[in-house]
Amino acid sequence: MTGDPRALLGLVLVAVVVAAALFGPLLWQVGPEVSDFMAPLSGPSAKHPLGTDDLGRDTLARMLAGARVSLMVGMGSVAGACLLGGAIGLVCGFLGGWTDRVLMRVMDVLLAFPGILLALGVTAALGASATNAAIAIGLVNLPVFARIARAQAQLVAAMDYVEAGRAIGRSPAAILRVHILPNAASPILVQASLLLASSIITESYLSFLGLGVQPPTPTWGNMLRDAVGFLDHSPWMAWFPGIAIFTTVLGFNLLGDGLRDRLDPRAARGA
Amino acid sequence: MRAIAGRVIALLPILFGLSVLSFGLLAMVPGDPVTAMLGLEASPEAIATLRAKFALDEPLPLRFLAWFGNVLQGDLGRSIQTGRPVLEMVVTALGPTLLLAGAALLVSLAIALPAGIIAATRRNRPADFAVSLVALCGLSLPSFWLGILLILTLSIAWPIFPASGYAPLLSDPWTALRHLVLPAATLGVALAGASMRMTRSAMLEVLPADYIRTAHAKGLGPRRVVWRHALRNALIPIVTLVGIQLGQLLGGVVVTETVFAWPGIGKLVVDAIFARDYPVVQGAILVTATLFVLLNLMTDLICLALDPRQRGGA
């Protein structure tokens, strides 16, 4: 990874954001929901390095608290989709037949929706909350993982060493575990990083609309929602949460790209 | 012909699945639309009448069958809020959405094709790295934030373009275009990142081919080789890209429309979600997803027409 400046940059960006989410609120001990009534809508200052919002709440404190929420929803939606979709894909690719046909058709239906629209529909159905946003985005990610895992399982299942495994009497479960899972792991990892990027964007968008995490819990998305009402007076309210989303997403995209080149030498730039 | 028929038939279960999901999603909504309409102090009789009117007390599978039968006849029900037919509302909203999507596609291709070609022909040189980095930044930019930034600069700091609203293209072209600039730029730039990367890799596939070397050997200028010979062969992945993009546009349009108050399908869905107007949400989601599927089919068919090699095997 050290040889690729992009992956390294991605790793650094992701590390900075994760560290800010983990330790930020401990270092900057201002409550994200505490109002400074003397200074609503104030610009960056010594007391409030990134300014305050319309209720006088400290933007830096809200950004740090928002980082936790955004990362948790993003990671939850990707991890859940990865486990469930990965399992569906492996089983489909390995077993084939009717199981495969039916399950993959269901995945095709999920893929047939533009992602945002599916997420909107699901949050509309389940109600607006952080958990439901994670479920909605997870459902968008699910078929992607299922397809990759299935393709890998099919690819590997045709290999001689799997045949050999069968010949020495390994059970299907053991073949899945010993041969197929390790081979499917790396493309799934790459996809997980790229999907984290898009999931964080989708989460921020749902929150921006008011269909994601509900106030007063801060997220980058609902901070942008608050900012829209004060664009002409306090433009900085719209800068900082957007920069946070952009940086985080860029980090995961760089990391995913770098990992892909590393794991798939054919796609590498230098080849 | 058989390849085409096969692809069309394969769509039928998908379209049915879309209907089941669109219906199912909104059938499990916790809040009650009737209470939302009448308020909490409504008399039990009024509630019962309205529930009967929308058949909310029937079992779910029966409601689905009735709804699906109507959908097949082009009847998506009526809006709970306005009482207008859903299909009419969706079709009305489709115009502005398609206008915005088309304009955004032009913006995106105008940026992505030249940039992708430059990157591919100068592979691993500074220009390539610059394009790749810009493309990745474009991919990472949340489009609604980009929209907000454009509003901040081009309609608040320097009031050149209006921040929101829409005018029909035919009756007032000048106002319409002025309103179109910011949303189309937002969506186009957001899409350009992905297109640049695809154009680059499509060109990279083609450039080492023998016929390119032949064209060079014939003494054709580099510009002519790239634009006439290489680009034409890279066209199949690029058409696929346009198809995928049109699909993504349908999603991206939802986001952009809500930022710029653009009266298209996306705004219709979001407004209807907040108003608990389920028939509208259902209908708009179903129509958009169907359109998305049909666009993918069209992309497939165009590729089939462009690439004779695919015809025999399919």
Side-chain angles (χ1 to χ4, degrees):
Chain A
M1 193 160 301
T2 43
D4 186 347
R6 289 176 310 155
L8 192 65
L9 178 60
L11 199 63
V12 169
L13 290 179
V14 169
V16 167
V17 174
V18 170
L22 283 179
F23 307 118
L26 304 176
L27 297 175
W28 183 251
Q29 288 183 327
V30 175
E33 287 158 31
V34 176
S35 293
D36 179 350
F37 292 110
M38 303 310 288
L41 292 177
S42 62
S45 65
K47 196 173 170 205
H48 303 289
L50 301 182
T52 59
D53 68 4
D54 51 315
L55 301 177
R57 297 176 296 192
D58 185 72
T59 304
L60 178 59
R62 294 181 69 71
M63 296 253 303
L64 294 172
R68 291 190 170 184
V69 182
S70 293
L71 287 178
M72 294 252 275
V73 173
M75 286 178 181
S77 70
V78 170
C82 183
L83 287 179
L84 190 59
I88 292 175
L90 290 180
V91 167
C92 282
F94 192 59
L95 292 181
W98 272 106
T99 329
D100 180 29
R101 247 170 279 170
V102 171
L103 282 175
M104 288 321 284
R105 257 310 116 73
V106 175
M107 295 298 120
D108 284 347
V109 170
L110 288 180
L111 269 184
F113 282 95
I116 294 267
L117 210 59
L118 181 60
L120 277 178
V122 175
T123 44
L126 300 179
S129 76
T131 318
N132 292 344
I135 293 174
I137 302 166
L139 213 54
V140 176
N141 294 335
L142 186 69
V144 184
F145 282 115
R147 283 204 160 183
I148 292 177
R150 176 175 178 269
Q152 286 296 318
Q154 282 182 329
L155 198 73
V156 178
M159 295 283 175
D160 286 341
Y161 55 82
V162 173
E163 195 55 48
R166 269 201 204 100
I168 61 170
R170 281 207 167 122
S171 68
I175 291 178
L176 261 180
R177 199 181 62 241
V178 178
H179 299 297
I180 297 184
L181 206 55
N183 278 291
S186 59
I188 288 180
L189 195 68
V190 169
Q191 203 59 43
S193 185
L194 297 175
L195 282 180
L196 256 172
S198 67
S199 300
I200 287 172
I201 291 193
T202 310
E203 184 279 319
S204 64
Y205 175 65
L206 289 177
S207 297
F208 173 72
L209 284 181
L211 289 168
V213 179
Q214 293 300 295
T217 306
T219 68
W220 298 332
N222 67 27
M223 290 175 74
L224 280 174
R225 177 185 174 81
D226 293 342
V228 165
F230 305 97
L231 282 184
D232 45 355
H233 181 276
S234 311
W236 55 86
M237 274 175 73
W239 294 342
F240 300 119
I243 292 172
I245 301 170
F246 175 67
T247 314
T248 312
V249 173
L250 183 64
F252 281 114
N253 271 333
L254 282 167
L255 193 62
D257 261 22
L259 278 177
R260 178 172 50 204
D261 288 359
R262 168 140 284 241
L263 297 170
D264 177 11
R266 276 171 307 147
R269 314 182 57 95
Chain B
M1 264 335 272
R2 280 187 49 200
I4 297 178
R7 276 166 216 228
V8 174
I9 290 171
L11 282 188
L12 295 179
I14 303 264
L15 290 177
F16 181 72
L18 286 181
S19 317
V20 174
L21 199 57
S22 310
F23 180 83
L25 271 182
L26 276 300
M28 50 193 271
V29 171
D32 188 329
V34 172
T35 333
M37 279 173 75
L38 297 178
L40 287 173
E41 279 94 46
S43 70
E45 294 82 33
I47 290 178
T49 329
L50 210 58
R51 286 191 73 85
K53 190 179 160 205
F54 292 112
L56 287 174
D57 294 322
E58 302 279 328
L60 208 55
L62 283 184
R63 273 164 61 197
F64 173 73
L65 285 181
W67 178 79
F68 190 60
N70 289 337
V71 167
L72 288 182
Q73 297 167 36
D75 176 10
L76 294 175
R78 278 173 181 278
S79 158
I80 293 182
Q81 218 185 355
T82 64
R84 285 172 58 203
V86 172
L87 188 66
E88 185 195 307
M89 293 171 73
V90 171
V91 169
T92 313
L94 218 48
T97 292
L98 292 180
L99 176 67
L100 175 55
L105 185 67
L106 288 183
V107 172
S108 158
L109 290 180
I111 300 172
L113 282 184
I117 289 171
I118 288 172
T121 50
R122 291 170 184 67
R123 189 176 193 194
N124 287 339
R125 280 192 271 162
D128 181 20
F129 286 112
V131 167
S132 299
L133 191 67
V134 170
L136 207 60
C137 288
L139 271 182
S140 309
L141 208 57
S143 59
F144 62 101
W145 186 52
L146 179 61
I148 293 173
L149 289 185
L150 286 178
I151 292 177
L152 269 179
T153 45
L154 294 179
S155 66
I156 291 178
W158 297 282
I160 305 172
F161 297 108
S164 70
Y166 165 82
L169 193 59
L170 293 176
S171 52
D172 189 356
W174 176 241
T175 318
L177 286 178
R178 272 171 44 88
H179 279 96
L180 186 58
V181 171
L182 291 189
T186 301
L187 196 48
V189 170
L191 281 173
S195 339
M196 275 189 227
R197 285 155 64 106
M198 277 185 98
T199 311
R200 176 179 178 272
S201 62
M203 288 296 284
L204 282 180
E205 295 269 310
V206 172
L207 283 174
D210 287 340
Y211 54 82
I212 299 293
R213 201 161 6 132
T214 311
H216 278 298
K218 280 197 304 191
L220 295 181
R223 190 170 298 235
R224 198 175 157 83
V225 172
V226 166
W227 286 91
R228 292 288 304 263
H229 292 253
L231 186 59
R232 181 168 296 182
N233 281 285
L235 219 56
I236 293 160
I238 292 174
V239 169
T240 315
L241 163 80
V242 172
I244 295 173
Q245 281 219 317
L246 280 173
Q248 288 176 341
L249 272 170
L250 285 179
V253 125
V254 176
V255 180
T256 314
E257 284 178 1
T258 47
V259 176
F260 290 96
W262 188 265
I265 270 260
K267 196 165 174 301
L268 184 71
V269 172
V270 172
D271 290 347
I273 287 177
F274 281 112
R276 293 186 182 283
D277 197 344
Y278 306 146
V280 176
V281 181
Q282 263 169 356
I285 287 185
L286 183 62
V287 169
T288 316
T290 307
L291 226 101
F292 184 65
V293 171
L294 293 181
L295 276 173
N296 287 340
L297 173 72
M298 255 170 53
T299 316
D300 259 15
L301 295 183
I302 293 175
C303 286
L304 217 57
L306 279 178
D307 186 359
R309 280 169 301 181
Q310 285 185 20
R311 273 176 229 161

